[in-house]
Amino acid sequence: MTDVKMGSLAAAELAKSYEPASVEAHWSRIWEERGCFTANPNSAREPYCLVLPPPNVTGSLHLGHALTATIQDVLIRWKRMLGFEALWVPGMDHAGIATQMVVERELLATDGKSRQDLGREAFTERVWKWKANYGAKIGEQHRRLGASLDWSRERFTLDSGLSLAVREVFVRLYEEGLIYRAQRLIHWDPELLTALSDLEVENEERDGTLWSIAYPVVGSAERLTVATTRPETMLGDSAIAVHPEDSRYRHLIGKTALLPLLEREIPIIGDAELVDPTFGTGVVKVTPAHDHRDYATGQRHGLPMINIFTERAVVNENGGPYAGLDRFEAREKVLSDLEAQGFLVEAKPYRIPLAVSQRSKSPVEPRLSWQWYVRVAPLAEAALAAVHRGDIRFVPEGWTNTFYAWMNNIHDWCISRQLWWGHQIPAWYPVDSQGQVDWTASTFVVAREAPSQGKWIQDTDVLDTWFSSALWPFSALGWPSETEDLKRFYPNALLETGHDIIFYWVARMVMMGIHFMGKPPFPIVYLHAMVRDEKGEKMSKTKGNVIDPLDIIGGAPAKALPPAIRNRYPEGLPPMGADALRLTLAQSTQQGREIRLSIDRVAGSRAFCNKLWNAARFAMMNLHDWKPTGEPVRGGIFDAWITSRLERTVEAVNQSLEGFDFSAATSAAYQFTWGDFCDWYIEVAKSALQGEDADARRAAQSTLVQCLDRTLRLLHPFIPFITEEIWQRLPISKAEETLATSAYPIFLAMNVDAASEAQVAPVLEVVSAIRVIRSESGIHPAERIFAVVHAEDPAMRSALTQQTAVITRLAGLGEFRAIAPESKPRLAASQVLRGAELFVPLSGIVDLSEERNRLQRELDRSRAEWGSLDRKLSNASFVARAPSEIVDRDRERVAELAGRMKKISANLQNISEVPE
RNA sequence: GGGCGGAUAGCUCAGCGGUAGAGCGUCGCCCUUACAAGGCGAGGGUCACAGGUUCAAAUCCUGUUCCGCCCACCA
């Protein structure tokens, strides 16, 4: 099956069920080899460019990536088929802090070494090896998902081109005064030993304790009691603050207090900003070097900054006897000493806010240090203006306000990290004659290359990963070179990503794009929800509920699955195929902020693929003598009907995609394929295909081929592999070598045929009604029964009579007749239809009490509906105020129901008279 | 402390002014030569709760309760 020759008209026998593995491998290879997804910047087509949000090289892709890839691939394939010059740029992110951390952990686990043991050069070399390994894995995963990325343009945020872009941006922003270096209190990760930006800090609440400590006032018997959640920081206290208006303490301002344990005298100050007199005791200890609010207070009052911690958060020499203890040990010791000396007043349970490093999960320590910053206010202003102007639109639009809220209150962005893996900051410091460097001095130069004169050393810090990804929409297209790609594909058509990185990434791309390219990087930001497990829980390794997309696609034995998944699927996962996963993900997009991925639902999608496969298989089995002549074949009513149904589906799918409603698009296509095409049309077509009438047979063949062709095109963006495989086997003349590069169906009004839809409806209704009677009355499917329809309308009678063969076949009848109403059969199951009555005369085959129950249920149902409508219609204000078409419709319905109830009652009466 | 999302059939979700739909699961009957990963039927919901607006509310407004997320330097 994998070796199908492209363009071959030979309809090779299809396997009985769809086997995705070989088909997928085959087509992802062919598509790539043929350059199906390689964009041409010089074509005359309208450009449509997406950049893939570069996944971190830290590991392999999870379902969130699969979702992103699916949504973007649906869009890009759809647009490509619509005739756009579609470009989807793949890439990966070096993910500085995350990658360095995992490689450090691996290094420790395998070699028992730290990065410091290796040294910077050897360590980064090791990270590059890691990147090569995982980068290849990620690329492979994307291919298996069917992502139609242009691999010839693949980029990495740390490749030489992007490094050039990063340096260019850094130098220019510096020259414009938008990048500066400053000594400030930053968030410090004592485990990873680096500064973090505000965004990389997570605020948690934990159960903790609020301790109250007494500080004796010097030269007085008074004691001031302060409350703190971090008693160990008292070692760095520079003052005690009270509210200046607080009558309880006002007299103490200007005096000093004695710091317990260290016995240092510290001033008592009045500060209205720091102190809320109504909270706690109204007294606050001030530790400027270890708390952001205290830092500001220290600045206001010129207090000394006493740093008590080393970079690893171990107490330093300023901590006197506590030096050498880490922060948690120091807390214990300080507390026990305070208690022993009578300074500990109280300890009560308290929910404490705790700032934790996003990566290491270690509590962050505020730390005074020199860092590089981006002055974001001017950039944010331009970005906000662009969104206000409507140059950038968020989908769903609720995110607009989130964006505004953050941008309006944006702080300068700390971009330097004390890491080894990343873009080294292009700043150089002079080395003096002793070989010494003063890192705190402002004698550095910022430049694209090291200065040629004298001895210089480059800043050892690297840039925040998001600094380079902020440039992605243009750097991935070749900037700062004026490439063809850049001219053609910037701005991108749209940005698709998860809402979790709206601040980290989206906001910064908007700012950088506007600043360096003069226009926003994309007009639309589509933000998808987060993928969670079936219980709505976040997928995480520790919970053991992370599903590898490849395990869904290719299947996995139970023992290969993480515990939580294994519990749920003790048999392991069967292979579902990439298409089934994609279809399910596309279907799930409409939800709020989370998507609970249900594997059962993926199985449903797999069943759909199999259904499609078998529909094609059926077609092929009936097409061996079919030759595409190009001549239009005049078909019957059902040919027009299915063509019309398909056309409405084409319209619905395109419209839904236009509005990013992937859920509606997939369900429209699904319902048509399974409900209309497979359940009805194919069943109907069987008579024509197997009958004597050569014209009818040719018509059915023609319709089959055309509907399949169009349906496969329609479905291709969602399920590219199976559609390509089937399409290749279709005996039609093909303008393109692959379906992936073929034209997408667009709505053709001429194909819509309301008349045939109206004629087919009663046929389907009759068939369904007979089936209900059969099933409810326990008539065996093999039993060839007789059914008769009493219809007033001669047109209806003739329409039904013309379809006698179809009705007979689909309802399993021995005989069918449509006649003018006459007296009811004495012994018959019945069903009231629109404008007709159906009877299935019985000769002892029907359980009469069952039939009576069924009719009674029908009657009750109709009566209930009639009752509520009647009540509504007798309400004068409804008739007066509701739109007339609603009132008319309800009146018609009431009349119809009344007639229906009368008939059902009569039928009920009729069979009730029959003795059992 | 602000802001946002969700609450609809046993499960996963559509619908978002004209009194409810799908898939899976359940229950019948069928191996009808495209498909048992199937066919044909059936059953199943006071649309979280309480008010309000409206002729009409799952759908709009207000409040409440749960679940989840984001932002925020109250010791």
Side-chain angles (χ1 to χ4, degrees):
Chain A
M1 168 191 344
T2 49
D3 293 323
V4 180
K5 291 193 178 61
M6 303 205 3
S8 158
L9 293 186
E13 181 76 10
L14 266 65
K16 199 170 173 187
S17 58
Y18 175 55
E19 300 293 340
S22 52
V23 169
E24 290 173 5
H26 176 69
W27 288 109
S28 52
R29 184 167 51 82
I30 299 281
W31 287 330
E32 196 170 337
E33 277 173 13
R34 308 259 163 157
C36 292
F37 311 135
T38 310
N40 172 11
N42 300 312
S43 80
R45 295 154 174 252
E46 202 181 318
Y48 187 89
C49 174
L50 302 181
V51 290
L52 179 77
N56 291 353
V57 287
T58 40
S60 50
L61 301 187
H62 56 245
L63 280 169
H65 295 110
L67 176 67
T68 282
T70 298
I71 295 171
Q72 289 173 45
D73 196 49
V74 166
L75 289 171
I76 206 96
R77 282 185 188 265
W78 176 54
K79 290 290 183 177
R80 185 183 295 116
M81 291 176 79
L82 281 173
F84 286 77
E85 189 61 46
L87 168 60
W88 189 17
V89 184
M92 270 169 288
D93 198 306
H94 67 281
I97 191 165
T99 312
Q100 173 161 327
M101 191 178 80
V102 294
V103 176
E104 273 189 82
R105 284 186 184 164
E106 184 221 35
L107 181 65
L108 190 68
T110 59
D111 299 19
K113 286 183 181 166
S114 71
R115 75 178 143 112
Q116 288 81 1
D117 293 336
L118 282 197
R120 185 163 185 153
E121 204 175 316
F123 178 77
T124 48
E125 219 167 276
R126 187 157 175 138
V127 187
W128 276 107
K129 277 190 196 131
W130 172 282
K131 184 261 162 186
N133 183 15
Y134 279 91
K137 222 173 248 184
I138 290 167
E140 186 48 34
Q141 284 179 302
H142 277 126
R143 288 174 172 87
R144 291 211 40 200
L145 282 163
S148 62
L149 291 153
D150 183 347
W151 292 103
S152 72
R153 286 173 163 87
E154 184 176 7
R155 303 303 298 267
F156 180 53
T157 55
L158 209 51
D159 68 25
S160 59
L162 294 213
S163 301
L164 196 70
V166 164
R167 252 174 289 147
E168 183 68 25
V169 163
F170 189 97
V171 171
R172 281 213 224 160
L173 288 177
Y174 179 77
E175 286 168 354
E176 293 165 27
L178 293 174
I179 280 184
Y180 63 94
R181 191 167 182 252
Q183 189 190 29
R184 289 198 187 150
L185 204 62
I186 46 88
H187 302 293
W188 181 260
D189 183 329
E191 193 176 316
L192 298 172
L193 305 180
T194 179
L196 302 172
S197 71
D198 300 349
L199 283 175
E200 288 163 306
V201 175
E202 291 170 353
N203 291 298
E204 291 181 3
E205 259 199 359
R206 288 191 191 170
D207 286 323
T209 311
L210 185 67
W211 287 279
S212 296
I213 304 168
Y215 287 49
V217 176
V218 176
S220 151
E222 287 179 85
R223 295 169 123 208
L224 283 172
T225 302
V226 304
T228 180
T229 55
R230 296 203 57 193
E232 70 281 12
T233 63
M234 68 172 292
L235 302 173
D237 283 357
S238 312
I240 290 286
V242 297
H243 193 92
E245 309 295 317
D246 192 333
S247 55
R248 290 172 295 176
Y249 309 117
R250 204 164 38 199
H251 64 285
L252 297 174
I253 296 172
K255 298 194 169 178
T256 60
L258 190 67
L259 183 65
L261 308 182
L262 295 186
E263 312 210 323
R264 205 168 61 221
E265 270 188 44
I266 54 174
I268 298 166
I269 60 170
D271 192 285
E273 224 171 293
L274 178 70
V275 185
D276 172 1
T278 65
F279 185 90
T281 56
V283 186
V284 182
K285 66 194 261 314
V286 185
T287 322
H290 297 287
D291 181 276
H292 289 92
R293 291 184 7 137
D294 292 4
Y295 177 76
T297 309
Q299 299 267 296
R300 284 195 293 276
H301 294 267
L303 299 172
M305 308 266 307
I306 304 167
N307 176 25
I308 58 162
F309 288 133
T310 67
E311 60 175 18
R312 292 183 191 272
V314 171
V315 177
N316 66 14
E317 67 283 0
N318 290 331
Y322 303 94
L325 299 175
D326 86 17
R327 49 187 166 162
F328 306 112
E329 297 164 351
R331 175 176 304 174
E332 296 309 312
K333 187 93 195 321
V334 164
L335 284 170
S336 63
D337 289 354
L338 283 172
E339 184 158 29
Q341 296 174 33
F343 292 111
L344 192 60
V345 179
E346 196 187 9
K348 60 175 180 190
Y350 193 68
R351 290 290 288 174
I352 50 168
L354 186 67
V356 160
S357 164
Q358 184 193 46
R359 289 294 164 192
S360 69
K361 304 296 175 197
S362 178
V364 156
E365 207 56 65
R367 181 179 171 85
L368 188 68
S369 66
W370 283 96
Q371 304 290 342
W372 293 89
Y373 295 88
V374 175
R375 195 185 312 282
V376 281
L379 300 169
E381 205 177 309
L384 278 165
V387 177
H388 276 296
R389 229 181 290 125
D391 292 351
I392 299 173
R393 201 180 104 226
F394 287 90
V395 181
E397 66 177 336
W399 291 109
T400 320
N401 281 333
T402 308
F403 178 83
Y404 286 151
W406 191 71
M407 289 296 253
N408 279 325
N409 188 26
I410 198 165
H411 299 296
D412 280 2
W413 174 17
C414 175
I415 50 171
S416 45
R417 299 287 179 277
Q418 287 65 53
L419 303 171
W420 289 352
W421 176 243
H423 295 278
Q424 212 169 328
I425 288 174
W428 278 265
Y429 299 77
V431 182
D432 68 19
S433 48
Q434 270 81 52
Q436 297 293 304
V437 180
D438 182 1
W439 296 102
T440 63
S442 48
T443 49
F444 57 84
V445 295
V446 168
R448 290 165 185 80
E449 303 295 337
S452 47
Q453 301 288 315
K455 264 196 94 176
W456 300 82
I457 183 162
Q458 189 172 0
D459 199 311
T460 54
D461 288 357
V462 302
L463 287 164
D464 182 359
T465 290
W466 298 103
F467 190 88
S468 53
S469 28
L471 319 178
W472 192 242
F474 52 97
S475 65
L477 297 172
W479 191 90
S481 300
E482 285 269 323
T483 60
E484 292 292 308
D485 279 2
L486 192 63
K487 278 185 250 173
R488 200 67 203 292
F489 296 114
Y490 190 94
N492 308 157
L494 165 139
L495 180 87
E496 196 287 332
T497 194
H499 70 245
D500 55 332
I501 53 178
I502 184 169
F503 306 140
Y504 290 99
W505 195 42
V506 179
R508 285 154 178 177
M509 279 191 289
V510 171
M511 293 192 279
M512 292 298 193
I514 292 172
H515 192 75
F516 286 95
M517 298 297 295
K519 34 186 159 169
F522 27 71
I524 297 168
V525 178
Y526 177 94
L527 295 168
H528 66 245
M530 298 292 105
V531 180
R532 294 163 162 266
D533 74 3
E534 288 169 40
K535 286 185 236 141
E537 294 198 31
K538 224 173 192 164
M539 296 206 183
S540 75
K541 280 189 187 154
T542 47
K543 283 191 193 138
N545 60 351
V546 178
I547 307 178
D548 184 339
L550 294 188
D551 285 346
I552 295 180
I553 292 173
K559 62 181 189 310
L561 296 170
I565 311 295
R566 198 188 314 138
N567 284 343
R568 186 79 227 264
Y569 300 94
E571 312 286 306
L573 298 176
M576 302 283 188
D579 288 331
L581 176 60
R582 292 170 56 115
L583 186 61
T584 309
L585 288 169
Q587 243 166 345
S588 310
T589 50
Q590 213 50 16
Q591 294 158 243
R593 296 201 167 180
E594 55 182 66
I595 291 175
R596 302 185 186 196
L597 189 92
S598 147
I599 289 181
D600 290 341
R601 213 166 166 159
V602 182
S605 300
R606 178 186 59 157
F608 174 77
C609 290
N610 192 239
K611 188 75 182 174
L612 178 65
W613 179 260
N614 275 288
R617 183 161 172 261
F618 170 79
M620 302 304 181
M621 291 168 89
N622 287 284
L623 288 172
H624 35 80
D625 59 339
W626 166 255
K627 293 280 180 299
T629 58
E631 294 278 307
V633 183
R634 206 179 150 69
I637 190 83
F638 279 94
D639 298 299
W641 171 79
I642 193 67
T643 305
S644 183
R645 298 287 311 147
L646 173 54
E647 210 52 44
R648 292 189 193 277
T649 309
V650 165
E651 186 181 27
V653 170
N654 277 301
Q655 267 175 10
S656 302
L657 285 177
E658 212 67 67
F660 304 106
D661 189 344
F662 303 98
S663 171
T666 49
S667 73
Y670 182 104
Q671 277 166 28
F672 168 79
T673 307
W674 203 316
D676 293 331
F677 187 65
C678 293
D679 288 348
W680 288 110
Y681 182 73
I682 285 186
E683 292 308 321
V684 168
K686 281 175 180 172
S687 329
L689 290 166
Q690 287 155 23
E692 301 291 300
D693 185 341
D695 284 348
R697 175 172 163 79
R698 246 206 353 271
Q701 288 177 319
S702 170
T703 306
L704 267 184
V705 163
Q706 275 163 32
C707 277
L708 259 182
D709 178 36
R710 218 161 156 72
T711 303
L712 291 169
R713 290 168 191 260
L714 197 63
L715 285 167
H716 183 261
F718 307 100
I719 46 173
F721 292 112
I722 186 173
T723 49
E724 182 77 76
E725 176 74 18
I726 297 171
W727 188 81
Q728 290 292 339
R729 297 157 179 266
L730 273 192
I732 50 166
S733 57
K734 293 164 181 141
E736 300 288 336
E737 276 198 327
T738 60
L739 177 57
T741 50
S742 296
Y744 201 71
I746 50 172
F747 179 65
L748 300 171
M750 55 177 269
N751 282 341
V752 173
D753 183 350
S756 62
E757 287 182 12
Q759 286 180 64
V760 164
V763 177
L764 305 189
E765 203 188 355
V766 166
V767 171
S768 294
I770 298 170
R771 284 170 173 172
V772 170
I773 290 171
R774 294 193 77 114
S775 177
E776 295 284 301
S777 309
I779 301 169
H780 193 275
E783 185 102 33
R784 300 288 85 128
I785 54 175
F786 168 66
V788 59
V789 167
H790 294 186
E792 300 268 4
D793 181 11
M796 187 176 193
R797 289 203 298 273
S798 110
L800 288 173
T801 304
Q802 275 175 39
Q803 299 307 327
T804 299
V806 165
I807 294 169
T808 304
R809 180 187 178 99
L810 297 196
L813 300 179
E815 190 191 351
F816 172 76
R817 295 216 325 264
I819 59 173
E822 54 177 42
S823 61
K824 299 174 194 293
R826 279 274 298 146
L827 199 63
S830 60
Q831 176 76 33
V832 177
L833 311 171
R834 291 178 148 260
E837 233 172 317
L838 167 79
F839 295 98
V840 176
L842 334 142
S843 39
I845 44 176
V846 165
D847 181 335
L848 280 182
S849 63
E850 282 295 326
E851 174 65 6
R852 247 178 258 129
N853 289 342
R854 193 179 67 81
L855 288 182
Q856 191 60 53
R857 275 204 314 271
E858 289 265 316
L859 191 58
D860 292 347
R861 223 174 286 166
S862 294
R863 187 175 288 140
E865 194 185 343
W866 180 87
S868 83
L869 280 175
D870 185 61
R871 237 173 292 127
K872 217 163 130 186
L873 283 165
S874 44
N875 179 347
S877 60
F878 168 69
V879 179
R881 301 204 189 198
S884 59
E885 71 255 32
I886 298 288
V887 178
D888 290 347
R889 198 199 55 195
D890 284 353
R891 282 198 173 122
E892 273 172 43
R893 184 71 183 144
V894 160
E896 192 188 324
L897 283 166
R900 185 182 168 79
M901 283 155 61
K902 216 166 127 191
K903 287 176 182 163
I904 296 174
S905 304
N907 292 337
L908 199 51
Q909 186 70 30
N910 194 25
I911 60 168
S912 296
E913 286 164 2
V914 177
E916 297 268 339

